Structure formats: C-alpha cells, structure tokens
Amino acid sequence: MVIASVRGIVKRYGDRVALDHVDLDIAEGEIVGLLGPNGAGKTTFIHCLTGLIRYDSGDIKVFGRAQRQHLLEIKRDIGLVTQEIAIFQDLTARENLQFFGGIYGLRGADLTRRIDETLELVGLTEYAGQLPVKYSGGMKRRLNIACALLHEPKFLIMDEPTVGIDPQSRYNILENARALNRQGTTLLYATHYMEEAQAIASQVVIMDRANVIAQGTVDELVKSVQSQETIRLEVAYPGDDLLERLRNLDGVTRVTQTGNQIQVASRVGADNLDSVLTLARESGGLQSVTTVQPTLEDVFLDLTGRTLRDQREN
Ligand SMILES: Nc1ncnc2c1ncn2[C@@H]1O[C@H](COP(=O)(O)OP(=O)(O)O)[C@@H](O)[C@H]1O
Ligand SMILES: [Mg+2]
C-alpha cells in the first residue's frame, strides 16, 4: 500500500522555487531516506506533506485520502519530528508529554501508559521529572521524539533529528527508528548525512535544488554509478605534478586529493591500474592502495558534479 503519494508539488517563497514539480511515493513499511544538501527543499517538502504550509500546486494523498480535505484525520496517524526541536523548557519531560498527549486526545491511564513507554524507549525514564533546560541537546531531541510517538503514529516523519547531538543519542535515535519500522511504522527520514541514509533507508530519495534527482534502494543507486571505478592511493608526496599526470591517464575521469590520499576515478574497463600504480610509485612514493566501493556520495557527485558535504545554500 502507498502511505503517501505526492504529484507535481510546486512551492515558491516569493521568487524562489523551493519545490519544483516534485513527485514521490512512500510505500507502507519502508524507511525512506530523504537525502540532500542544505537548501535542497527537504524541510519544505515535509511541511507541505504534513499540511504545515500551503503549496502552490500539485496533489498530495496520505493514507489514500486527499490531504487538503482530510488534513485533521490524516494528522492523527502522523508523527512529526521537526528540524527545530519543539518542547517547553519550563515543563518537565513528563509534563511536556502530558501536554502533547492531550493534543492527540490521550487521557488518563492510556496517556500514563504511553508516557511511560515512550520515556523508556528514548531512555529518559530517570530524567522524567527534570526540566529540559538541564538536558543535553541529544536528550532534548529524544524528548522531542517521544512527544511525536505518544499517539502511536503509523507514519513517522523525522527532519534531520541527529544534527548537532552526541553519538550516544544519535545511536539511540537510529536504533529506535529501525525498531519502530520493524513493528510496522513507515518512516520518512530527512538528512544531509549520506552515511545515515545509507545505514537506515530501505529507499533513498535524493533531492537537490528543489527537485528529486534520483530514487531507489542504496544498491540500485550505487549500481547506477558503476560506470566509475575508484582507486584510493596513499602517497608520501601528493604533489600537483602527480595529480596532473594521473588526470592525463587514459580512462581517468576524476582525481581528488585530501592530505596524503588521492582518489582516482576511472571509467569501468579502463584497465589502467598498472599505469596508476606506476605513476604513484615513481613520483608519489606509494604507501598503500585500495579500491573503493561507490557510496551515495558518489551517486550525488555523479548526478550533480558537486559533493553533498560542505555545501552552502545556493
Ligand atoms: N520561509 C521561507 N522563506 C523563504 N525562503 C525559504 C523559507 N524556507 C525555506 N526557504 C528556502 O527554500 C529552499 C529550501 O529550503 P529547505 O526546505 O529548508 O531545505 P532543506 O530542508 O533541504 O535544507 C532554500 O533555498 C531556503 O532558503
Ligand atoms: Mg531542512
């Protein structure tokens, strides 16, 4: 079953097009990783999908129902963890959960049971009586996630939930996402970390500059760039001269350098390993060599000519 189906969504902020005819289907039971650099349009997409902002044109159906007409019913089955953490600083964790549970119509024993369960899930049981001001960033985020889970949503949407938090919280969040998914929750998980998308997503949707530019399983996406083979060299002298000579070899499509590491990408079948190694030995002082499996980073690079990392908004 399709949980959400989005067709031709356009969203403009003044002159800026933030979503340019975006189509996307989210199937039940998936973890869909929405991957893209900052400014790609991920948050805008999520806000349109959940009815937080209006879009200019296009159609959205969630749980088979037209989103504009049935927004209230739809929201009952959605859990949304927004990019900015939304909790009350002057209420304890438990009081925050009581407030958000009340919004979803939970009362009495049911509410108490769900509060205890979600506190346990996010590992905050022993801090339930504290004000979030005393929490680390990761604990605030986990409380924020608990608030979105109280009503046991079928469809959980998380917008960059691990940005700027400690590794332990990050691990807790990713593990919980997986566990919820195993119990049947469908997830949409927005991130600009390709490692996270690669680790967690059963389907990856890559966004860039207001468009969906690719989608598929990690395997499918990575296979699409196997027109490239990458060799990683570690050399003592990674000089410009060596880089230049590598770039001039037959079949080489890209040479990049970070410190003593040089990555040489070639067309498949270029059969130039010997020449690459000879050059590296002669003028670089070759220390080690590995062949590199492509990652989602390579998929993005292949499609856009840019890297996912270190991007500024355009
Ligand atoms: N409220 C807003 N007003 C004007 N421009 C916005 C607003 N929100 C987002 N944008 C712009 O829309 C584009 C997409 O932003 P966003 O959806 O936040 O991307 P992402 O979540 O992928 O980082 C960016 O260029 C951003 O500057
Ligand atoms: Mg965002």
Side-chain angles (χ1 to χ4, degrees):
M1 197 184 96
V2 177
I3 285 273
S5 116
V6 172
R7 289 289 171 274
I9 285 294
V10 175
K11 172 66 188 178
R12 290 186 201 87
Y13 295 110
D15 289 343
R16 181 179 284 262
V17 180
L19 296 175
D20 184 10
H21 297 91
V22 169
D23 296 329
L24 189 61
D25 279 335
I26 295 170
E28 187 168 21
E30 302 279 356
I31 300 182
V32 176
L34 185 60
L35 177 68
N38 288 330
K42 303 181 296 297
T43 296
T44 302
F45 177 82
I46 286 171
H47 288 180
C48 289
L49 179 65
T50 52
L52 285 181
I53 57 172
R54 297 188 66 82
Y55 38 96
D56 297 291
S57 58
D59 278 305
I60 300 182
K61 280 203 181 105
V62 186
F63 310 124
R65 284 171 287 189
Q67 183 244 35
R68 276 188 168 139
Q69 285 77 20
H70 300 276
L71 194 53
L72 272 178
E73 302 145 59
I74 288 171
K75 278 185 175 171
R76 269 182 218 135
D77 289 321
I78 291 184
L80 174 61
V81 180
T82 52
Q83 187 166 354
E84 302 299 328
I85 294 179
I87 50 175
F88 296 104
Q89 297 292 337
D90 48 2
L91 298 181
T92 65
R94 184 172 286 279
E95 287 164 350
N96 266 284
L97 290 162
Q98 279 161 348
F99 175 82
F100 284 102
I103 290 185
Y104 284 107
L106 292 167
R107 301 270 182 278
D110 270 353
L111 177 57
T112 308
R113 177 182 59 85
R114 282 302 295 156
I115 289 175
D116 291 340
E117 285 171 4
T118 52
L119 281 169
E120 190 65 36
L121 185 74
V122 300
L124 289 177
T125 304
E126 45 183 313
Y127 306 95
Q130 289 188 13
L131 296 178
V133 275
K134 295 192 184 149
Y135 283 10
S136 69
M139 289 164 79
K140 284 182 192 164
R141 178 54 98 186
R142 286 185 276 142
L143 172 58
N144 177 224
I145 291 171
C147 292
L149 292 175
L150 285 165
H151 61 301
E152 301 180 80
K154 288 189 221 156
F155 182 24
L156 178 63
I157 302 171
M158 300 170 107
D159 193 355
E160 309 236 24
T162 60
V163 171
I165 66 176
D166 57 285
Q168 193 196 337
S169 291
R170 184 179 181 149
Y171 178 80
N172 173 281
I173 290 169
L174 289 170
E175 278 309 301
N176 278 337
R178 283 198 191 94
L180 288 163
N181 179 253
R182 279 195 299 271
Q183 291 156 25
T185 311
T186 304
L187 261 92
L188 178 63
Y189 188 102
T191 181
H192 67 274
Y193 298 131
M194 72 95 188
E195 299 86 351
E196 281 192 4
Q198 190 134 355
I200 199 177
S202 55
Q203 283 284 322
V204 175
V205 174
I206 303 181
M207 277 192 83
D208 185 48
R209 297 182 172 171
N211 287 287
V212 169
I213 57 169
Q215 55 184 300
T217 63
V218 172
D219 274 359
E220 285 165 358
L221 289 169
V222 161
K223 282 210 179 87
S224 73
V225 291
Q226 286 194 344
S227 54
Q228 300 262 314
E229 286 175 346
T230 305
I231 304 167
R232 185 185 294 144
L233 306 166
E234 208 172 300
V235 295
Y237 321 108
D240 287 346
D241 181 48
L242 172 61
L243 297 183
E244 188 58 30
R245 293 174 72 188
L246 287 167
R247 284 193 184 104
N248 288 334
L249 285 177
D250 264 0
V252 169
T253 52
R254 190 172 65 237
V255 179
T256 52
Q257 181 213 344
T258 336
N260 283 15
Q261 287 203 347
I262 297 177
Q263 308 231 43
V264 183
S266 299
R267 280 195 321 269
V268 158
D271 206 15
N272 56 12
L273 181 60
D274 273 352
S275 346
V276 169
L277 293 183
T278 306
L279 274 182
R281 250 185 239 114
E282 281 174 5
S283 55
L286 181 61
Q287 294 173 328
S288 75
V289 50
T290 32
T291 53
V292 187
Q293 293 305 310
T295 63
L296 290 176
E297 183 73 49
D298 299 298
V299 177
F300 190 82
L301 188 61
D302 219 47
L303 290 166
T304 66
R306 289 171 286 123
T307 59
L308 259 169
R309 265 171 237 143
D310 311 324
Q311 287 222 40
R312 264 151 272 138
E313 282 207 22
N314 38 70

